[in-house]
Amino acid sequence: DGGITQSPKYLFRKEGQNVTLSCEQNLNHDAMYWYRQDPGQGLRLIYYSQIVNDFQKGDIAEGYSVSREKKESFPLTVTSAQKNPTAFYLCASSQNRVYGYTFGSGTRLTVV
Amino acid sequence: DQQVKQNSPSLSVQEGRISILNCDYTNSMFDYFLWYKKYPAEGPTFLISISSIKDKNEDGRFTVFLNKSAKHLSLHIVPSQPGDSAVYFCAASARYGGSQGNLIFGKGTKLSVKP
C-alpha cells in the first residue's frame, strides 16, 4: 500500500537539544513538504523540496533544517535555535499540484 | 499577508442540514483550489478540488462552488453527518509564480455537526 509515514507519533525533547523527525514516502512523488500546525494558525510551511538534493525555505524555516538525499525521505531537524518547537508537525508529498498533497499522520513534538 | 482566508474559525450545524464553509483568496494567479478535512492528531485528507475553468464540482454529499470574480469559494455538505465534524482547510495553488505551484492553506474552519 502506497503512503507516507511519519515517525515517531509523539516525541519529547529537552530544551537545548536537536531532534529529527522522520518522513518516508513510497508514492514515488517528486515533491515533499514539512508543515507545522499550531492552534488557530492553520498549516504553516517550514521547508519543501521539489527534487532530490534540492530544498527551499518556507514561511517559517528559522530554527529548522532538512535534507533530501533520497526521493523517498525528507527528514526534518528541529534545532535548539527554534524558540517555540512544541507543535504538531506534518509531512506531505505530491506528484503534481492537480492531485494535491498526501499527508502523513503527523508527529506531536513537546519540549519538556 | 494571508492569501487564503477562512474567516469563520468554527461552524455548528444540525445533523441532516446543510453545512457551508467559506474561503476567500487574494491572489488572482490562483487557478486550482482544494478542500482538505482534518481530524485531531491526524494528517489532513483530500476532500474535493476545483479548477478555475469550472464554477462547480460535485462529489457525493460534497460540492465546491467557485466565484472567480469575487475570489470566493465555498464547500457545501448536504446532508451533514456527525462524522463530518472536523477541521476543514481551504487551499489554493498557482501554475506560475514564486510559490512554484505549492499549496497555500487557509487557517481552517472547525465544523461541528450535532446529532
Side-chain angles (χ1 to χ4, degrees):
Chain A
D1 241 355
I4 183 165
T5 302
Q6 289 187 242
S7 61
K9 192 161 182 67
Y10 299 96
L11 191 56
F12 296 88
R13 188 196 89 175
K14 291 183 180 179
E15 290 226 26
Q17 287 182 340
N18 293 353
V19 64
T20 297
L21 282 60
S22 170
C23 179
E24 303 277 333
Q25 54 103 355
N26 60 3
L27 299 165
N28 201 34
H29 287 172
D30 288 317
M32 296 187 75
Y33 307 83
W34 274 106
Y35 284 88
R36 168 178 171 145
Q37 186 188 16
D38 297 282
Q41 292 292 327
L43 303 178
R44 293 187 290 169
L45 182 63
I46 305 173
Y47 267 99
Y48 64 98
S49 167
Q50 301 282 359
I51 196 168
V52 175
N53 292 322
D54 186 55
F55 49 83
Q56 307 294 328
K57 291 183 179 180
D59 301 317
I60 55 166
E62 186 177 348
Y64 300 97
S65 66
V66 293
S67 63
R68 186 87 187 277
E69 296 175 3
K70 298 186 302 181
K71 187 175 186 178
E72 302 79 20
S73 179
F74 191 41
L76 173 75
T77 296
V78 184
T79 75
S80 56
Q82 169 50 232
K83 296 289 185 280
N84 297 297
T86 294
F88 188 60
Y89 291 86
L90 286 161
C91 179
S93 69
S94 172
Q95 187 53 33
N96 65 59
R97 68 192 198 101
V98 171
Y99 295 102
Y101 296 175
T102 300
F103 282 89
S105 57
T107 293
R108 167 75 61 186
L109 173 63
T110 304
V111 173
V112 295
Chain B
D1 188 31
Q2 268 189 278
Q3 297 186 67
V4 177
K5 300 178 186 179
Q6 294 178 256
N7 292 318
S8 298
S10 62
L11 175 68
S12 182
V13 299
Q14 207 66 34
E15 181 179 5
R17 306 295 290 267
I18 184 171
S19 296
I20 300 177
L21 294 91
N22 293 304
C23 178
D24 297 295
Y25 61 96
T26 57
N27 188 343
S28 57
M29 299 296 289
F30 287 149
D31 62 347
Y32 202 74
F33 304 89
L34 304 92
W35 284 93
Y36 281 82
K37 176 180 179 179
K38 184 184 180 302
Y39 293 117
E42 294 183 10
T45 55
F46 171 75
L47 196 56
I48 192 169
S49 63
I50 188 167
S51 162
S52 60
I53 62 173
K54 294 185 175 181
D55 54 19
K56 177 182 175 182
N57 188 28
E58 274 184 271
D59 184 1
R61 296 186 298 116
F62 303 92
T63 303
V64 56
F65 296 92
L66 176 62
N67 182 335
K68 288 187 292 294
S69 61
K71 293 192 178 68
H72 176 84
L73 64 154
S74 60
L75 173 68
H76 291 210
I77 306 174
V78 184
S80 302
Q81 300 173 354
D84 296 329
S85 297
V87 176
Y88 290 78
F89 289 100
C90 171
S93 75
R95 182 186 297 273
Y96 307 108
S99 64
Q100 299 183 36
N102 291 343
L103 288 180
I104 309 298
F105 287 87
K107 291 189 174 183
T109 296
K110 184 177 182 180
L111 173 66
S112 299
V113 180
K114 302 191 182 305

